[in-house]
Amino acid sequence: MIAAIEESQPVRRSPIAAVILAATTLSIAIQSSARAQELEPRPSPLDDQAAEIFAGVDYERGDYGTGAKVETVSTLIGVATRTGQVRVAAAIPYLRTTAPVDVVISQGGLFGTQFLADDSNQTVRTRREGLGDATLQAAYELPFAGFAASLGGGVKLPTASRAKGLGTGKVDYAVNASLARPLRGGVTPFAAVGYSILGKPEGFTVRNTLSATAGTRVALSAGTSAALSYSYEQSASQALADRQGIGLGLGVALGRKLQLRLQGEAGLSRGAPDMKLGLQIGAGF
């Protein structure tokens, strides 16, 4: 999910943006929620201190260049808070996945053996489910006149079962930055970059990853916006291809305290999922 896109400086981001921002750069190693999730609903002005509970569901399908079909459904729940320019969020997903026996699904990231990546016959699929890895994220809004900018970071905690192949069993870290420029007519170009530092799971050779997203958001009305974006994510494994995708999203602010987001993504590279669909709702209090 992309960070922070706003129509003008006086508009305040909702706390859910903390999750959206950090997910952009944790997407290979971490989040569910967040691969080319470039759309944030246009929020109503909020107080400098606020909190929000959010929940969402994502469906992802593809073979990621392995020749074996992988399907994953991720249900996410979390909480976010905002104090001034600082936003903090915590979330944990519940995963249901059907994948080859030697593939680890880590919050949407794929870790396969070299044997599988070479299109071997080891494509027997198993169904697994359980808690995924929890994430903690924080972001700071930078005071750039005329821009919406943020610096952030996050950590993935190994709460998922390594035995079930739902996580790597290691802690991952990420840092990120985002920038958006509101223009006339409700058009806002945006971009984000990130760097993830991955723990080294036993039995897999992984590398730290770069990610980037760029696109444009358009305000359709006072409480509705749409976004089109391109995303790139370096593969955590040299045996698997990098991920590229194009995303389309729709966001609706259902009053001051309720926000709804819908998003979809189509893969453009062998290492990307064929498709991904997501829905997220946040309620402020």
Side-chain angles (χ1 to χ4, degrees):
M1 299 182 184
I2 188 68
I5 301 169
E6 302 188 8
E7 189 65 24
S8 61
Q9 285 182 306
V11 176
R12 294 288 189 181
R13 273 173 276 189
S14 91
I16 200 171
V19 178
I20 297 169
L21 170 65
T24 302
T25 56
L26 297 177
S27 52
I28 280 285
I30 304 179
Q31 162 82 285
S32 67
S33 174
R35 190 168 274 92
Q37 310 300 312
E38 299 74 47
L39 178 64
E40 179 183 346
R42 182 182 178 184
S44 301
L46 297 175
D47 296 333
D48 283 346
Q49 293 184 327
E52 190 165 12
I53 294 176
F54 57 90
V57 59
D58 288 319
Y59 172 75
E60 188 170 324
R61 183 184 68 196
D63 67 8
Y64 306 87
T66 67
K69 185 178 179 181
V70 178
E71 289 184 282
T72 303
V73 176
S74 174
T75 304
L76 181 78
I77 188 168
V79 62
T81 63
R82 171 195 174 98
T83 301
Q85 303 301 105
V86 178
R87 295 166 287 122
V88 179
I92 189 167
Y94 188 88
L95 304 177
R96 293 185 178 91
T97 187
T98 301
V101 294
D102 51 359
V103 167
V104 173
I105 304 296
S106 180
Q107 301 265 21
L110 189 69
F111 295 83
T113 65
Q114 180 67 48
F115 195 48
L116 175 62
D118 284 341
D119 296 327
S120 75
N121 294 323
Q122 302 300 312
T123 58
V124 177
R125 302 201 311 158
T126 62
R127 182 172 299 175
R128 328 152 201 170
E129 65 178 274
L131 286 178
D133 291 322
T135 56
L136 301 175
Q137 296 130 10
Y140 179 77
E141 298 174 12
L142 300 175
F144 288 167
F147 290 87
S150 292
L151 289 178
V155 57
K156 185 208 78 176
L157 304 176
T159 54
S161 170
R162 176 63 179 87
K164 291 182 178 180
L166 298 177
T168 64
K170 300 296 181 179
V171 177
D172 301 334
Y173 304 91
V175 293
N176 56 64
S178 70
L179 185 67
R181 172 63 169 171
L183 304 175
R184 292 183 179 181
V187 176
T188 305
F190 59 84
V193 295
Y195 184 73
S196 296
I197 303 170
L198 307 187
K200 308 303 181 185
E202 183 178 353
F204 295 94
T205 300
V206 299
R207 60 184 177 184
N208 299 336
T209 64
L210 291 169
S211 63
T213 303
T216 299
R217 168 187 169 277
V218 178
L220 303 179
S221 69
T224 304
S225 59
L228 180 67
S229 66
Y230 165 82
S231 63
Y232 166 83
E233 297 172 21
Q234 187 179 26
S235 171
S237 169
Q238 293 184 350
L240 298 171
D242 295 343
R243 301 175 64 146
Q244 300 181 61
I246 185 167
L248 179 65
L250 177 69
V252 181
L254 305 174
R256 181 180 175 84
K257 297 294 186 179
L258 191 64
Q259 300 187 47
L260 177 69
R261 299 177 63 251
L262 301 171
Q263 57 275 325
E265 180 185 351
L268 299 178
S269 64
R270 291 180 66 249
D274 295 335
M275 62 170 290
K276 182 173 181 179
L277 300 172
L279 179 150
Q280 188 173 88
I281 189 167
F285 61 93

